[in-house]
Amino acid sequence: MNLRSLSTSLLVLTALWSVSGCGTSSGTGSAGGSASTTPGKKIKIGVSVPSADHGWTAGVGYWAEKAMAMYPDVEWVYKTADKPETQIADIETMMTGELDGLVVLATESAPLTPVAKAAHERGIYIVNVDRGFLEPVADVFIEGDNEAFGRKSAEFVVQKLGGKGKILVLEGIPSTVNTDRVNGANKVFQANPGVTVLESQSGMWNRQKALEVTQAMLLKHPQVDAIWASDDDMALGAEQALKEAGRQNVWILGGAGMKDIVKRVMDKDPVFPANITYPPSMIATGIHLAVSNLRDGKKDDIKQFMPRHMKLDVELITPDNAKDFYFPDSVY
Amino acid sequence: MNPKASHLLDKYGIYLALVILVAFSAVMSPTFLNPENLRNIVNQQAVIGLVAIGMTLVVVTGGIDLSVGSTVVLSATMGLYAMNAQLAKGASEPVAVLVALGTGAVVGALCGWTMGVLVARAKLAPFIATLCGLVAFRSFALTPAKAGEVRSSSLDIYPGIGQGGLPWPLVGNGQPMVTWNILVLIVAAVLGWLILERTTLGRNMVAVGGNETAARLAGVRTERVKTVAYVLTGLLCGIGGFLQAARMNSVSTAQVGTLYELDAIAAVAIGGASLSGGVGSVTRTVVGVLVLSVIQNMLVTLEVSQYLHGAVKGAIILFAVLLQRGRNSE
């Protein structure tokens, strides 16, 4: 899914450790680094993420657990929350213990900002992933580039259509992430008048909802060339709608690199000619950074050069490069 | 309003509501009456329909079942695991699919039985007992799947059940008009109607819901009648879960079945059942499901903003319920 972002973080990590005079190999991913921590003092890091309400968030959980398992010498507190209220309570409970670091993928940005600020004021090191806080309270903020997600995927659609065709658009849950993606794509579609967006509706990043919405849209539009589904759960719903309507020769561009879709891109399935990454493993990048910045007790030194905002590029997955993004063991 | 007219409205108001909605949608959207669209409207809500038929029985006995959505997801998940295990052992696809159906039905019926025992024998308030089921049953599906998706390893028959149907009539493009989902819904509706209107069990359900003490004094085994209503609901949830999972060829344990209880209760209420028990009709509940489904279809077809869906849906449900209350509103 995101070998690149993982390797980027590994690079950053290696650089950090050599700068801080602690040349432990970061490549092994084992607990071997425990020699460099202060004996008797385990660092404690809280990880708070949304519960797995769709494939992507399930991927977040998978990668979070995988990253935490790499560091058994850290004391982890891991919580998933289905809504902001639960997440705030989770973080408040975490803070009652001696917490050194906090990695947060917010269910929603605004309601989580005050509790993150409180944590920040207590001197807890905060890594914020994907959905940003409204105030600069995070020590590091890692997010995917959603505007590029929309732009690059739309560019592929235009190119594959040869600049001429009729498409349906499936939007996600109303949110800044969705807005950035859809706006990014619409800019490209508007710049190519040969491509007509017949209709744009929300499938709520949900397979069944996308199925129902696509069925209704297909009935209104006898001629459809492609569906810009913006998410792989929705792409599978759209595919089911095509099957149930008996429609052939319509292809779909999903997004976020679900392993089944990536496999089908790799196998040159005509329904899925490409995909675009939006790696849920960015949570692992965040966890990895939190550990590496905290474990040597030099976070204040590291802060001097650590970028506060990292925007991960997204990449188009085509049959040529699909094997680099295919993780058969991942849940997503 | 004169008493006769209000009685008619009370009895047939729901059909009138459906006709008004259909007429409105047909005028507003040229594709609404397209056979394929009509097929989709029923097909999309077939599982909710099954759940709502069970819910009608429970509501008639004076109960409520909030656990239905979680029962759907749990039985679907267990069915899929059982099927995949069979396939992994080298069983043939038809056998494995039957195992999935059997497992789903048994798990569903067991969930329903648990609810029934808590309500009928342990005398817990149905709202509370089934609330426990609502929160607990899904956990048993989330845990093995780590809240993710369980995929079927059946390639043909299982997903075929989700898409196929009777070979005639067709809606064009070679797709069936009467999908298996729709067929099962029709069969369940007929059986549900028979049970409630034509059997002693059904009459006892109405009696228990109308006046439990009187029913008991009249010799009705009230605890058993109530338990059976929950078991049948659970069984329908199990079959519904099987169909739902077949349609997607997978179960998303965090998503499938969420808020089904509310849709089912809404359908039962639109169908004119009394939530205090003793009154309810399977046919009118099915019409209630269709009303909900037409609303949903209309909102999407007319491109009503996603933000407004809830408001429109709420207003129309309210209208449909009030329409039948001609008599009571005087």
Side-chain angles (χ1 to χ4, degrees):
Chain A
M1 233 164 292
N2 69 333
L3 279 181
R4 179 170 295 182
S5 68
L6 259 187
S7 55
T8 312
S9 72
L10 283 175
L11 265 177
V12 170
L13 199 61
T14 318
L16 285 180
W17 283 359
S18 47
V19 168
S20 58
C22 178
T24 323
S25 162
S26 64
T28 61
S30 74
S34 60
S36 61
T37 51
T38 321
K41 171 76 173 82
K42 253 190 164 187
I43 57 167
K44 188 170 174 184
I45 300 178
V47 178
S48 172
V49 298
S51 47
D53 50 6
H54 62 291
W56 193 82
T57 37
V60 167
Y62 168 84
W63 283 103
E65 287 181 17
K66 201 172 159 102
M68 288 187 291
M70 280 166 64
Y71 302 104
D73 50 336
V74 172
E75 189 180 344
W76 295 107
V77 190
Y78 175 61
K79 291 279 176 204
T80 63
D82 56 351
K83 52 183 184 294
E85 295 92 308
T86 319
Q87 193 168 25
I88 292 167
D90 285 348
I91 294 175
E92 283 171 349
T93 312
M94 285 177 188
M95 285 198 298
T96 58
E98 286 288 310
L99 206 59
D100 299 295
L102 183 61
V103 182
V104 181
L105 202 166
T107 44
E108 282 175 35
S109 298
L112 265 298
T113 301
V115 72
K117 194 173 178 183
H120 175 73
E121 280 162 3
R122 286 196 190 189
I124 296 171
Y125 188 83
I126 300 181
V127 179
N128 181 198
V129 182
D130 190 42
R131 301 174 203 166
F133 300 128
L134 304 186
E135 289 181 56
V137 293
D139 294 278
V140 181
F141 175 37
I142 306 168
E143 64 170 340
D145 189 342
N146 286 297
E147 203 275 336
F149 180 105
R151 174 169 38 82
K152 288 189 178 185
S153 58
E155 280 167 358
F156 173 82
V157 170
V158 171
Q159 184 208 341
K160 165 101 180 153
L161 288 171
K164 200 170 169 341
K166 295 179 175 169
I167 63 168
L168 298 175
V169 166
L170 283 173
E171 299 187 23
I173 294 173
S175 61
T176 52
V177 170
N178 177 61
T179 308
D180 287 352
R181 288 180 181 181
V182 174
N183 287 349
N186 277 341
K187 269 184 205 156
V188 175
F189 294 139
Q190 278 154 16
N192 291 276
V195 173
T196 314
V197 176
L198 295 168
E199 197 171 335
S200 180
Q201 293 228 30
S202 174
M204 305 296 279
W205 286 328
N206 175 308
R207 192 190 287 197
Q208 193 169 357
K209 181 80 191 159
L211 160 60
E212 290 170 14
V213 168
T214 310
Q215 281 193 323
M217 290 200 289
L218 284 174
L219 274 160
K220 287 163 72 179
H221 307 288
Q223 173 63 39
V224 174
D225 297 305
I227 299 173
W228 185 81
S230 75
D231 171 82
D232 286 338
D233 282 304
M234 294 204 289
L236 289 172
E239 188 197 18
Q240 177 75 4
L242 291 173
K243 279 186 189 163
E244 288 185 16
R247 295 280 274 267
Q248 313 265 321
N249 304 322
V250 183
W251 52 270
I252 305 167
L253 191 78
M258 182 190 281
K259 64 176 178 182
D260 308 68
I261 306 269
V262 174
K263 178 81 168 51
R264 290 172 67 179
V265 172
M266 196 155 72
D267 297 343
K268 301 197 168 136
D269 187 321
V271 180
F272 294 105
N275 199 263
I276 189 148
T277 60
Y278 194 81
S281 58
M282 66 177 74
I283 191 70
T285 314
I287 290 170
H288 200 66
L289 272 178
V291 175
S292 61
N293 292 354
L294 283 170
R295 71 193 312 172
D296 305 321
K298 292 184 178 167
K299 66 173 174 157
D300 293 329
D301 295 332
I302 294 171
K303 219 173 183 169
Q304 295 171 20
F305 56 82
M306 191 70 188
R308 292 195 62 156
H309 185 177
M310 302 183 197
K311 209 166 203 174
L312 305 179
D313 199 5
V314 296
E315 291 174 71
L316 198 68
I317 304 174
T318 59
D320 297 331
N321 66 0
K323 68 175 189 328
D324 297 340
F325 301 98
Y326 181 55
F327 302 98
D329 297 332
S330 166
V331 295
Y332 184 61
Chain B
M1 199 183 288
N2 76 56
K4 198 177 174 194
S6 78
H7 175 72
L8 283 176
L9 205 53
D10 203 34
K11 201 164 179 190
Y12 298 108
I14 181 63
Y15 300 97
L16 184 63
L18 181 63
V19 169
I20 292 173
L21 263 177
V22 166
F24 176 77
S25 304
V27 171
M28 296 300 286
S29 155
T31 53
F32 182 81
L33 290 178
N34 184 319
E36 191 180 340
N37 193 46
L38 298 178
R39 189 262 324 241
N40 291 348
I41 286 174
V42 186
N43 196 39
Q44 283 166 359
Q45 299 293 324
V47 177
I48 296 278
L50 291 177
V51 174
I53 289 168
M55 186 72 80
T56 309
L57 303 181
V58 168
V59 165
V60 163
T61 65
I64 194 132
D65 193 347
L66 301 180
S67 73
V68 287
S70 298
T71 303
V72 167
V73 74
L74 178 59
S75 45
T77 306
M78 294 305 145
L80 256 191
Y81 275 130
M83 182 181 79
N84 287 349
Q86 287 296 316
L87 289 169
K89 277 198 301 187
S92 70
E93 278 216 20
V95 171
V97 170
L98 278 177
V99 167
L101 176 60
T103 309
V106 168
V107 170
L110 274 176
C111 289
W113 179 78
T114 313
M115 295 295 96
V117 167
L118 288 177
V119 170
R121 311 234 172 231
K123 309 281 185 224
L124 288 176
F127 191 93
I128 301 302
T130 60
L131 186 63
C132 297
L134 163 70
V135 291
F137 293 156
R138 184 175 296 273
S139 281
F140 299 125
L142 291 173
T143 307
K146 289 190 175 172
E149 210 174 34
V150 186
R151 297 190 178 86
S152 110
S153 23
S154 163
L155 296 175
D156 300 317
I157 296 180
Y158 193 58
I161 290 170
Q163 277 162 39
L166 294 180
W168 188 91
L170 298 177
V171 291
N173 301 328
Q175 299 299 308
M177 179 79 199
V178 182
T179 61
W180 300 127
N181 283 19
I182 294 176
L183 190 67
V184 170
L185 176 64
I186 293 170
V187 170
V190 170
L191 289 179
W193 177 82
L194 278 175
I195 288 175
L196 198 54
E197 311 284 335
R198 293 284 181 271
T199 66
T200 316
L201 174 66
R203 277 192 293 278
N204 287 345
M205 284 176 176
V206 175
V208 168
N211 186 336
E212 190 171 349
T213 316
R216 189 182 301 117
L217 292 175
V220 175
R221 298 169 70 180
T222 56
E223 292 176 358
R224 196 164 132 188
V225 169
K226 282 191 188 176
T227 310
V228 169
Y230 285 94
V231 170
L232 287 175
T233 303
L235 181 67
L236 285 165
C237 290
I239 296 168
F242 170 81
L243 293 173
Q244 175 89 358
R247 186 143 180 252
M248 298 293 170
N249 207 25
S250 66
V251 178
S252 165
T253 51
Q255 277 179 3
V256 167
T258 47
L259 299 182
Y260 276 19
E261 61 283 352
L262 293 189
D263 276 342
I265 293 168
V268 171
I270 294 174
S274 160
L275 289 183
S276 49
V279 179
S281 142
V282 168
T283 29
R284 289 197 295 177
T285 290
V286 172
V287 176
V289 171
L290 293 179
V291 166
L292 284 175
S293 192
V294 170
I295 296 172
Q296 189 60 38
N297 185 267
M298 187 186 75
L299 290 171
V300 175
T301 314
L302 298 184
E303 295 175 55
V304 174
S305 153
Q306 181 73 38
Y307 303 105
L308 272 175
H309 281 199
V312 179
K313 215 167 156 176
I316 295 179
I317 293 172
L318 197 60
F319 171 73
V321 172
L322 287 179
L323 189 62
Q324 303 170 66
R325 286 286 186 83
R327 190 170 47 185
N328 302 1
S329 62
E330 278 168 28

